[in-house]
Amino acid sequence: MNRTACRTLNRRRLHRAMAVALLVLAGAAPVFGQNAPPPGATAPAPSQVTNLEGVTVSGIQPGPGLWKVSKGDHVMWVLGTLSPLPEHMQWKTDEVEQTIADSQEVLGPPSVALKPKTNFFGKLFLLPSLIGARKNPDGQRLQQVVPAAEYARWQVLKQQYIGSDRSVEDWRPIFAAVELYDKAIKRSGLSSSGGVKDTVRELAKKHGVKVSTARYTMMIDEPRAAVKTFKASPMDDLECFGRTLDTVEHDLGRITARANAWATGDLEALRGLPMNDQREACIAAVTEAGFAKQLGFSDIQQKAQAIWLGAAEQALNTNTQTFAMLPMEEVLSAKGLIAQLKAKGYQVEAPDGSE
């Protein structure tokens, strides 16, 4: 294995094992359960699972339009991103490309990164300790760590979306949930990324516009010790596991409707569909664990958002025009980052002209 391959493998395993829930604020991690069943409701038996899966749109689609944030003659055009999106959609980027070409800066969404504080050889020696980081401590299998009723549901859904692969049975519940969700959305004709962020970066490169990142970087001083602690530590991820089962059983149709609304630019539908996917349980499974607190995984979402907010204000003060990306939830929410800019005195206008 060459040096580049080793570095890539190290980064992928470390990030996947230790930051699967943390990266959700950048849209890079899976979106979990829309809504749990209402109190008192009875979940269908495993043999009676019903999920009204929708049909994804395809072909050339316009996307949701751009939000305008301005102060005086300085403007920031904001694209609300979403995950997942229709896999076979072709995003019509004429308006976006022209806006990027006329801008002095492209600002990416809030993100979180883990950075081992070690040199290349340190990373190379870290690789053996990363093997099996997804697995349950003490060699336990999934059946031993989740309630019997949940495991019965899991078996039905696993057979439907994952198949006969038995390796996932050794994984922690949160990683098993991620694998199931990824397979389910793919089967539904959806893509976790939709290629939107990559397209924006390519357009910025094409027109020579600088791309800025709003990234909160967490330094890990002793990566080997951190991974060892992670592998040996329990996580309270049963709620995350159960809510993901709920999503795959009951909510793929609603997720598809939301993806279609983004693709077709149906702002009314986007406003009417839940954007908060109750990811708190899955994020908390990582951030509230003992190892996470030792590494300083506290208030990371707020820290990343604060970095983005500062970068956005600087861009609005410096540039005549800026193009930015934000998760759609941050665009539409009354407490989101766009609302926070409005509270600071910036003018905000939605694509349909509403404020």
Side-chain angles (χ1 to χ4, degrees), residues 17-32:
M18 300 182 67
V20 62
L22 308 183
L23 295 180
V24 74
L25 33 128
V31 178
F32 295 97

Side-chain angles (χ1 to χ4, degrees), residues 29-103:
V31 178
F32 295 97
Q34 290 274 0
N35 286 309
T42 302
S47 61
Q48 299 174 322
V49 169
T50 57
N51 191 350
L52 301 177
E53 299 182 24
V55 177
T56 56
V57 299
S58 60
I60 299 174
Q61 300 294 338
L66 302 176
W67 273 255
K68 181 181 181 182
V69 180
S70 60
K71 199 167 195 178
D73 59 354
H74 288 218
V75 63
M76 172 181 285
W77 296 99
V78 180
L79 172 69
T81 60
L82 188 68
S83 175
L85 289 175
E87 185 173 18
H88 300 295
M89 168 196 78
Q90 183 180 343
W91 182 31
K92 189 175 186 297
T93 60
D94 297 18
E95 178 189 3
V96 166
E97 179 170 5
Q98 188 59 56
T99 304
I100 290 173
D102 293 338
S103 298

Side-chain angles (χ1 to χ4, degrees), residues 85-151:
L85 289 175
E87 185 173 18
H88 300 295
M89 168 196 78
Q90 183 180 343
W91 182 31
K92 189 175 186 297
T93 60
D94 297 18
E95 178 189 3
V96 166
E97 179 170 5
Q98 188 59 56
T99 304
I100 290 173
D102 293 338
S103 298
Q104 292 79 58
E105 182 180 359
V106 169
L107 177 61
S111 62
V112 177
L114 295 175
K115 188 174 182 181
K117 195 175 183 179
T118 182
N119 57 27
F120 168 73
F121 291 103
K123 293 177 183 178
L124 184 62
F125 286 113
L126 176 64
L127 288 176
S129 67
L130 286 166
I131 296 173
R134 290 181 298 189
K135 293 185 178 181
N136 282 302
D138 304 321
Q140 291 183 302
R141 294 179 65 78
L142 195 60
Q143 186 174 10
Q144 297 172 278
V145 297
V146 302
E150 298 284 76
Y151 187 73

